Amino acid sequence: MKCPEFELLSAYADQEVTPAERAEVVSHLQGGCAQCRQQLSSLGQLGRQLLAPLPSGFKLQLQRPRGGWWQRLRALADSPVVHLVSTQRRRRARFGAAEMGKMMAVFAVPALFMCLSPDRSPLTAFLLFSALGLMVGCLCASSVRR
Amino acid sequence: MSEALSLALAGAHIRKRGTSMTLVERLRAGEAGALQAFIEETQARAYGLAFSILQDSHQCQDALQDAYLTVLEKIHQLRDESSLKSWFSQILVNRCRQQLRLRDWEEVPDTPELPRCLAEKLDVQAALAQLTTIERTILTLREVMELSYQEIAQILSIPLGTVRSRLANARARLLHKLSDDGRAAR
């Protein structure tokens, strides 16, 4: 009688076979195959020998090491939540209305300065508005002191 | 058997004598001593699993510490109490994989083939060390952690059939190496 494959014997030893496979192995073993019985016996003994012994003095220290700010930042950056959020942010930033609005504002502010300035120069408009802002600020500060 | 040992790993849902809380509930409640009881129960097998992957006791210690702290921090995420063993195994395997980030996870044996004169002195652990990391991991998850094929497939994210074939290959290779060593399972 042909012996079952080793993979089937291995799964049979773990009781991870279908009923048909189990019946096949059982009938083969009942036929008196000494080689397969020997292999099953070897498989049964293997588990006990695989456990690596604990080294002497093995002791776990169950406290998180206090890493520096860089390690904490790296751990945070590596965390799946941050990765997910940042991916979503990138996705939103690519198509979102808010990001589009910001982009438009970047171009709109210089254009506004240009429209308001006498010589249509953004630099002049910027200096003008800065000077006005400084004057208003000084006036406000002096009125508060009084 | 001590009181702590009554908390069987495989049946973390088994209730501790004299109390009405399971080990998972005690861990969730942050009860002092619950983690220690869990460690006492699982440490030897967990070390065996970590060592089979990492083959280095210092790295094993780091991985185990990290895995136990993760259990304590994330125990509220465990939905099914009866799957504590496979959940913990998954955490530990992931920690070991992180430690192995720079090594080849898939196929290259971590230790070079030993010359014949040394091969005669091999014991089971040395023979195990000559398997690939994935083979050692599957073998230990089955033989030491006593997980089902389905649980191993979930932990390693591989198909069920692959678990079965790789486990058989690992066993065949290990038995072959042991028989070469004159230590065939008797």
Side-chain angles (χ1 to χ4, degrees):
Chain A
M1 189 187 291
K2 189 187 171 190
C3 290
E5 288 184 0
F6 184 78
E7 184 180 322
L8 180 54
L9 278 181
S10 161
Y12 175 80
D14 293 331
Q15 299 182 351
E16 296 266 3
V17 285
T18 63
E21 288 173 332
R22 182 179 293 112
E24 180 189 338
V25 176
V26 167
S27 71
H28 179 76
L29 293 174
Q30 283 172 346
C33 180
Q35 190 186 348
C36 289
R37 285 181 184 276
Q38 172 66 34
Q39 282 188 327
L40 274 176
S41 167
S42 302
L43 286 172
Q45 291 173 2
L46 202 56
R48 284 174 236 149
Q49 305 171 50
L50 285 179
L51 190 59
L54 274 175
S56 58
F58 186 81
K59 177 92 177 148
L60 294 175
Q61 295 175 347
L62 293 173
Q63 280 186 341
R64 289 265 184 224
R66 287 177 64 84
W69 63 271
W70 177 243
Q71 277 80 10
R72 273 179 274 165
L73 195 63
R74 284 286 302 272
L76 189 67
D78 285 344
S79 76
V81 175
V82 168
H83 181 71
L84 185 68
V85 170
S86 62
T87 307
Q88 286 175 346
R89 276 192 185 152
R90 275 201 299 274
R91 215 171 282 153
R92 275 204 299 272
R94 210 172 291 157
F95 304 107
E99 290 300 318
M100 191 61 79
K102 284 178 201 168
M103 291 283 286
M104 288 174 69
V106 167
F107 292 102
V109 169
L112 182 69
F113 283 160
M114 285 174 70
C115 292
L116 293 177
S117 67
D119 58 351
R120 299 288 184 264
S121 161
L123 181 62
T124 312
F126 176 75
L127 291 174
L128 190 66
F129 274 82
S130 300
L132 277 172
L134 200 62
M135 284 170 65
V136 170
C138 287
L139 285 172
C140 288
S142 61
S143 65
V144 167
R145 270 184 211 150
R146 281 173 202 164
Chain B
M1 185 182 283
S2 70
E3 195 70 9
L5 288 177
S6 67
L7 298 162
L9 168 66
H13 55 283
I14 295 173
R15 292 179 188 277
K16 188 183 175 185
R17 261 178 285 159
T19 70
S20 59
M21 291 176 78
T22 64
L23 178 56
V24 174
E25 285 168 349
R26 290 171 61 207
L27 283 168
R28 279 185 183 144
E31 185 184 312
L35 184 63
Q36 197 55 41
F38 180 63
I39 290 171
E40 281 175 20
E41 269 308 302
T42 56
Q43 184 173 255
R45 286 166 187 269
Y47 180 82
L49 174 59
F51 191 82
S52 76
I53 300 172
L54 297 168
Q55 298 288 301
D56 180 281
S57 61
H58 295 294
Q59 285 194 330
C60 283
Q61 193 166 7
D62 292 344
L64 253 67
Q65 282 171 187
D66 209 15
Y68 282 119
L69 286 168
T70 306
V71 165
L72 197 61
E73 289 165 3
K74 300 196 172 172
I75 189 70
H76 60 278
Q77 293 178 3
L78 178 66
R79 291 173 197 160
D80 181 11
E81 290 190 13
S82 62
S83 64
L84 175 63
K85 183 169 62 170
S86 100
W87 182 69
F88 173 63
S89 300
Q90 176 138 35
I91 290 172
L92 185 56
V93 168
N94 288 342
R95 289 290 168 277
C96 292
R97 275 175 153 174
Q98 283 178 356
Q99 299 263 8
L100 274 179
R101 202 176 285 170
L102 296 178
R103 294 197 214 163
D104 191 354
W105 165 252
E106 271 296 321
E107 292 303 335
V108 180
D110 291 327
T111 51
E113 195 73 24
L114 296 172
R116 183 69 196 165
C117 56
L118 283 177
E120 287 170 3
K121 298 176 186 171
L122 285 179
D123 60 3
V124 176
Q125 284 302 320
L128 190 64
Q130 290 184 50
L131 303 184
T132 63
T133 309
I134 187 74
E135 283 175 339
R136 286 198 305 268
T137 307
I138 290 180
L139 199 54
T140 320
L141 283 171
R142 175 62 212 171
E143 299 284 4
V144 177
M145 299 304 283
E146 296 173 353
L147 297 179
S148 69
Y149 286 12
Q150 185 68 48
E151 289 170 321
I152 296 171
Q154 280 176 358
I155 288 172
L156 299 177
S157 302
I158 55 178
L160 199 61
T162 309
V163 172
R164 180 168 147 155
S165 58
R166 286 202 171 185
L167 183 58
N169 283 342
R171 281 169 164 164
R173 286 186 61 194
L174 189 62
L175 286 173
H176 179 69
K177 285 181 189 301
L178 290 173
S179 61
D180 275 356
D181 190 36
R183 290 167 185 257
R186 290 159 211 148

